[in-house]
Amino acid sequence: VQLQASGGGLVQAGDSLRLSCTASAHRFSILRMGWFRQAPGKEREFVATIPPITWSGTIDYADSVNGRFIISRDDATNTVYLQMNNLKPEDTAVYYCAAGMGASTSYRHYRYYGHWGQGTLVTVSS
């Protein structure tokens, strides 16, 4: 599985931005997709995850973005999105999309995901 993320850029606080991640996978629909981010000098952190549509699994968000970010997927185009609203300077980071497979309670942990995109930089100025 190859993942290609895009959509990052420089925005001002309060602005919105939508990230996209397209996967080259024959069975994208069975993958759990996630977004992580890594700010300079910090560890990679969980942002959001979305299960396969056919699962009754949970869409989940980090507390820091809950209510501002929305993760969604389009299985027809093998794409997962991250709509980021009301951006804050502390959202500045390189954002990575990731793909994982199988049921797990550890989908907030980066080790669950076996495939990663190259990252796209989001910079939020105050």
Side-chain angles (χ1 to χ4, degrees):
V1 178
Q2 292 185 329
L3 304 174
Q4 181 72 38
S6 62
L10 172 62
V11 296
Q12 294 185 331
D15 285 351
S16 297
L17 204 60
R18 188 177 79 159
L19 305 183
S20 301
C21 174
T22 302
S24 61
H26 292 300
R27 301 182 69 187
F28 177 80
S29 62
I30 70 170
L31 299 174
R32 174 179 278 276
M33 301 300 296
W35 286 97
F36 287 72
R37 67 186 182 186
Q38 187 166 18
K42 295 188 177 181
E43 294 185 351
R44 189 170 300 192
E45 66 173 357
F46 167 76
V47 175
T49 184
I50 185 167
I53 290 177
T54 53
W55 288 16
S56 60
T58 305
I59 292 177
D60 196 17
Y61 299 94
D63 290 344
S64 58
V65 307
N66 197 19
R68 299 188 297 122
F69 290 12
I70 300 171
I71 188 171
S72 62
R73 64 189 295 157
D74 181 352
D75 287 358
T77 59
N78 285 13
T79 304
V80 61
Y81 300 98
L82 186 68
Q83 177 67 41
M84 306 185 293
N85 301 318
N86 190 22
L87 282 161
K88 303 176 180 180
E90 51 264 43
D91 294 319
T92 295
V94 176
Y95 284 71
Y96 298 90
C97 61
M101 189 182 304
S104 173
T105 59
S106 302
Y107 53 73
R108 282 181 165 233
H109 198 283
Y110 71 88
R111 287 198 178 96
Y112 168 79
Y113 300 87
H115 305 278
W116 293 84
Q118 85 288 2
T120 184
L121 176 62
V122 173
T123 304
V124 185
S125 64
S126 58

Coordinates of all heavy atoms in Angstrom, one line a residue, residues 19 33-38 44-50 59-71 81-84 91 93-96 107-109 113 116:
L19 N -6.8 18.2 4.2 CA -5.8 17.3 3.7 C -6.4 16.1 3.0 O -7.5 15.7 3.4 CB -5.0 16.8 4.9 CG -4.3 17.9 5.8 CD1 -3.5 17.2 6.9 CD2 -3.5 18.8 5.0
M33 N -8.0 3.8 8.3 CA -7.2 4.9 8.0 C -7.0 5.8 9.2 O -7.9 6.0 9.9 CB -7.7 5.6 6.8 CG -7.9 4.8 5.5 SD -6.4 4.0 5.0 CE -5.4 5.5 4.5
G34 N -5.8 6.4 9.2 CA -5.6 7.3 10.4 C -4.7 8.5 9.9 O -4.1 8.5 8.9
W35 N -4.8 9.5 10.7 CA -4.0 10.7 10.5 C -3.2 10.9 11.8 O -3.7 10.8 12.9 CB -4.8 12.0 10.2 CG -5.3 12.1 8.9 CD1 -6.6 11.7 8.5 CD2 -4.7 12.5 7.7 NE1 -6.8 11.9 7.1 CE2 -5.6 12.4 6.6 CE3 -3.4 13.0 7.4 CZ2 -5.2 12.8 5.3 CZ3 -3.1 13.4 6.1 CH2 -4.0 13.3 5.1
F36 N -1.9 11.2 11.7 CA -1.0 11.5 12.8 C -0.3 12.8 12.4 O -0.3 13.2 11.3 CB 0.0 10.4 13.0 CG -0.6 9.1 13.6 CD1 -1.4 8.3 12.9 CD2 -0.3 8.8 15.0 CE1 -1.9 7.1 13.5 CE2 -0.8 7.7 15.5 CZ -1.6 6.8 14.8
R37 N 0.3 13.4 13.4 CA 1.1 14.6 13.2 C 2.3 14.6 14.1 O 2.4 14.0 15.1 CB 0.3 15.9 13.4 CG -0.2 16.1 14.8 CD -1.1 17.3 14.9 NE -1.5 17.6 16.2 CZ -2.4 18.5 16.5 NH1 -3.1 19.2 15.6 NH2 -2.7 18.8 17.8
Q38 N 3.3 15.3 13.6 CA 4.6 15.5 14.3 C 5.0 16.9 14.2 O 5.4 17.4 13.1 CB 5.6 14.5 13.9 CG 6.9 14.5 14.7 CD 7.8 13.3 14.4 OE1 7.7 12.7 13.4 NE2 8.6 13.0 15.3
R44 N 5.6 11.8 17.3 CA 4.4 11.7 16.5 C 3.2 11.4 17.4 O 3.2 10.6 18.2 CB 4.6 10.6 15.5 CG 3.6 10.5 14.4 CD 4.0 9.5 13.3 NE 5.2 9.9 12.7 CZ 5.7 9.4 11.6 NH1 5.0 8.4 11.0 NH2 6.8 9.8 11.0
E45 N 2.1 12.1 17.1 CA 0.9 11.9 17.9 C -0.4 11.6 17.0 O -0.5 12.1 15.9 CB 0.6 13.2 18.7 CG 0.2 14.4 18.0 CD -0.2 15.6 18.9 OE1 -0.2 15.4 20.1 OE2 -0.4 16.7 18.3
F46 N -1.2 10.9 17.6 CA -2.5 10.5 17.0 C -3.4 11.7 16.8 O -3.5 12.6 17.7 CB -3.2 9.5 17.8 CG -4.6 9.2 17.5 CD1 -5.0 8.5 16.4 CD2 -5.7 9.8 18.3 CE1 -6.3 8.2 16.1 CE2 -7.0 9.5 18.0 CZ -7.3 8.8 16.8
V47 N -4.1 11.8 15.6 CA -5.0 12.9 15.4 C -6.4 12.4 15.2 O -7.3 12.8 15.9 CB -4.6 13.7 14.1 CG1 -5.6 14.7 13.8 CG2 -3.2 14.3 14.3
A48 N -6.6 11.4 14.3 CA -7.9 10.9 14.0 C -7.8 9.6 13.3 O -6.8 9.3 12.6 CB -8.7 11.9 13.1
T49 N -8.9 8.8 13.4 CA -8.9 7.5 12.7 C -10.3 7.2 12.2 O -11.3 7.6 12.9 CB -8.4 6.4 13.5 OG1 -8.3 5.2 12.8 CG2 -9.2 6.2 14.8
I50 N -10.4 6.5 11.1 CA -11.8 6.1 10.6 C -11.7 4.6 10.2 O -10.8 4.2 9.5 CB -12.2 7.0 9.4 CG1 -13.6 6.7 9.0 CG2 -11.2 6.9 8.3 CD1 -14.2 7.7 8.0
I59 N -15.2 6.1 14.7 CA -14.4 7.3 14.3 C -13.9 7.9 15.6 O -14.7 8.2 16.5 CB -15.2 8.2 13.4 CG1 -15.5 7.6 12.1 CG2 -14.4 9.5 13.2 CD1 -16.4 8.5 11.2
D60 N -12.6 8.2 15.6 CA -12.1 8.7 16.9 C -11.1 9.8 16.6 O -10.5 9.9 15.6 CB -11.3 7.5 17.6 CG -11.1 7.8 19.1 OD1 -11.7 8.7 19.6 OD2 -10.2 7.1 19.7
Y61 N -11.1 10.8 17.6 CA -10.3 11.9 17.5 C -9.5 12.2 18.7 O -9.9 11.8 19.8 CB -11.1 13.2 17.2 CG -11.9 13.2 16.0 CD1 -13.3 12.7 16.0 CD2 -11.4 13.6 14.8 CE1 -14.0 12.7 14.8 CE2 -12.2 13.6 13.6 CZ -13.5 13.1 13.6 OH -14.2 13.1 12.5
A62 N -8.3 12.7 18.6 CA -7.6 13.2 19.7 C -8.4 14.3 20.4 O -9.1 15.1 19.7 CB -6.2 13.7 19.3
D63 N -8.3 14.4 21.7 CA -9.0 15.5 22.4 C -8.7 16.9 21.9 O -9.5 17.8 21.9 CB -8.7 15.4 23.9 CG -9.3 14.2 24.6 OD1 -10.2 13.5 24.0 OD2 -8.8 13.8 25.7
S64 N -7.4 17.1 21.5 CA -7.0 18.4 21.1 C -7.6 18.9 19.8 O -7.6 20.1 19.5 CB -5.4 18.4 20.9 OG -5.1 17.4 20.0
V65 N -8.2 17.9 19.0 CA -8.8 18.3 17.7 C -10.3 18.0 17.6 O -10.9 18.4 16.7 CB -8.1 17.6 16.5 CG1 -6.6 17.9 16.6 CG2 -8.4 16.1 16.5
N66 N -10.8 17.3 18.6 CA -12.2 16.9 18.6 C -13.1 18.2 18.6 O -12.9 19.1 19.4 CB -12.5 16.1 19.9 CG -13.8 15.3 19.7 OD1 -14.3 15.1 18.6 ND2 -14.3 14.9 20.9
G67 N -14.0 18.1 17.6 CA -14.9 19.3 17.5 C -14.4 20.3 16.4 O -15.1 21.2 16.0
R68 N -13.1 20.2 16.0 CA -12.6 21.1 15.0 C -12.2 20.3 13.7 O -12.3 20.9 12.6 CB -11.3 21.8 15.5 CG -11.6 22.6 16.8 CD -10.3 23.5 17.1 NE -9.2 22.6 17.5 CZ -8.0 22.6 16.9 NH1 -7.8 23.5 15.9 NH2 -7.0 21.9 17.3
F69 N -11.7 19.1 13.9 CA -11.3 18.3 12.7 C -12.3 17.2 12.4 O -13.0 16.7 13.3 CB -10.0 17.6 13.0 CG -8.8 18.5 13.1 CD1 -8.9 19.9 13.1 CD2 -7.5 18.0 13.1 CE1 -7.8 20.7 13.2 CE2 -6.4 18.8 13.2 CZ -6.5 20.2 13.3
I70 N -12.5 16.9 11.1 CA -13.4 15.8 10.7 C -12.6 14.9 9.7 O -12.1 15.4 8.7 CB -14.6 16.4 10.0 CG1 -15.4 17.4 10.9 CG2 -15.5 15.3 9.5 CD1 -16.5 18.1 10.2
I71 N -12.6 13.6 10.0 CA -12.0 12.7 9.1 C -13.1 12.0 8.3 O -14.2 11.7 8.9 CB -11.2 11.6 9.9 CG1 -10.4 10.7 9.0 CG2 -12.1 10.8 10.9 CD1 -9.4 9.8 9.7
Y81 N -9.8 11.9 4.0 CA -9.6 13.3 4.1 C -9.5 13.7 5.6 O -10.0 13.0 6.5 CB -10.9 14.0 3.5 CG -11.1 13.8 2.0 CD1 -12.0 12.8 1.6 CD2 -10.4 14.5 1.1 CE1 -12.2 12.6 0.3 CE2 -10.6 14.3 -0.3 CZ -11.5 13.3 -0.7 OH -11.7 13.1 -2.0
L82 N -8.9 14.8 5.8 CA -8.9 15.4 7.1 C -9.3 16.9 7.0 O -8.5 17.7 6.5 CB -7.6 15.3 7.8 CG -7.6 15.8 9.3 CD1 -8.5 14.9 10.2 CD2 -6.2 15.8 9.9
Q83 N -10.5 17.2 7.3 CA -11.0 18.6 7.3 C -10.6 19.3 8.6 O -11.1 18.8 9.6 CB -12.5 18.7 7.1 CG -13.1 20.1 7.1 CD -12.6 20.9 5.9 OE1 -12.6 20.4 4.8 NE2 -12.3 22.2 6.2
M84 N -9.8 20.3 8.5 CA -9.3 21.0 9.7 C -9.9 22.4 9.8 O -9.6 23.2 8.9 CB -7.8 21.0 9.7 CG -7.2 19.6 9.5 SD -5.4 19.6 9.7 CE -4.9 20.6 8.2
D91 N -1.5 23.6 16.0 CA -1.7 22.5 15.1 C -0.6 22.4 14.0 O -0.6 21.5 13.2 CB -3.0 22.8 14.3 CG -4.3 22.7 15.2 OD1 -4.3 21.8 16.1 OD2 -5.2 23.6 15.1
A93 N 2.4 21.3 12.2 CA 3.1 20.0 12.3 C 3.1 19.4 10.9 O 2.5 19.9 9.9 CB 2.3 19.0 13.2
V94 N 3.9 18.4 10.7 CA 3.8 17.5 9.5 C 2.8 16.5 9.8 O 2.8 15.8 10.8 CB 5.2 16.9 9.2 CG1 5.0 15.9 8.0 CG2 6.3 17.9 8.9
Y95 N 1.8 16.4 8.9 CA 0.7 15.5 9.0 C 0.9 14.3 8.1 O 1.2 14.4 7.0 CB -0.6 16.2 8.6 CG -1.1 17.1 9.7 CD1 -0.5 18.3 10.0 CD2 -2.2 16.8 10.5 CE1 -0.9 19.2 11.0 CE2 -2.6 17.6 11.5 CZ -2.0 18.8 11.8 OH -2.4 19.7 12.8
Y96 N 0.7 13.1 8.7 CA 0.9 11.8 8.0 C -0.4 11.1 8.0 O -1.1 11.0 9.0 CB 2.0 11.0 8.8 CG 3.3 11.6 8.8 CD1 3.7 12.4 9.9 CD2 4.3 11.4 7.9 CE1 5.0 13.0 10.0 CE2 5.6 11.9 7.9 CZ 5.9 12.7 9.0 OH 7.2 13.3 9.1
Y107 N -5.8 1.3 17.9 CA -5.7 2.1 16.6 C -5.3 3.6 16.9 O -5.1 4.3 15.9 CB -7.1 2.1 15.9 CG -8.3 2.5 16.7 CD1 -8.5 3.8 17.1 CD2 -9.2 1.5 17.2 CE1 -9.6 4.1 17.9 CE2 -10.3 1.9 17.9 CZ -10.5 3.2 18.3 OH -11.6 3.5 19.0
R108 N -5.2 4.0 18.1 CA -4.6 5.3 18.4 C -3.1 5.3 18.4 O -2.4 6.3 18.5 CB -5.1 5.8 19.7 CG -6.5 6.4 19.7 CD -6.9 6.9 21.1 NE -8.1 7.7 21.0 CZ -8.2 9.0 21.6 NH1 -7.1 9.5 22.2 NH2 -9.3 9.7 21.5
H109 N -2.5 4.1 18.4 CA -1.1 4.0 18.5 C -0.5 3.8 17.1 O -1.0 3.0 16.3 CB -0.7 2.8 19.4 CG 0.7 2.8 19.9 ND1 1.8 2.5 19.1 CD2 1.2 3.2 21.0 CE1 2.9 2.7 19.8 NE2 2.6 3.1 21.0
Y113 N -0.5 0.9 12.6 CA -0.5 1.2 11.2 C 0.8 0.7 10.5 O 1.9 1.1 10.9 CB -0.7 2.7 11.0 CG -2.0 3.2 11.6 CD1 -2.0 3.5 13.0 CD2 -3.2 3.2 10.9 CE1 -3.2 4.0 13.5 CE2 -4.4 3.6 11.5 CZ -4.4 4.0 12.8 OH -5.5 4.4 13.4
W116 N 2.5 4.1 5.7 CA 2.5 5.5 6.0 C 2.8 6.3 4.7 O 3.6 5.9 3.9 CB 3.6 5.8 7.0 CG 3.4 5.3 8.3 CD1 3.6 4.0 8.8 CD2 2.7 6.0 9.4 NE1 3.2 3.9 10.1 CE2 2.6 5.0 10.5 CE3 2.3 7.3 9.6 CZ2 2.1 5.4 11.7 CZ3 1.7 7.6 10.8 CH2 1.6 6.7 11.9

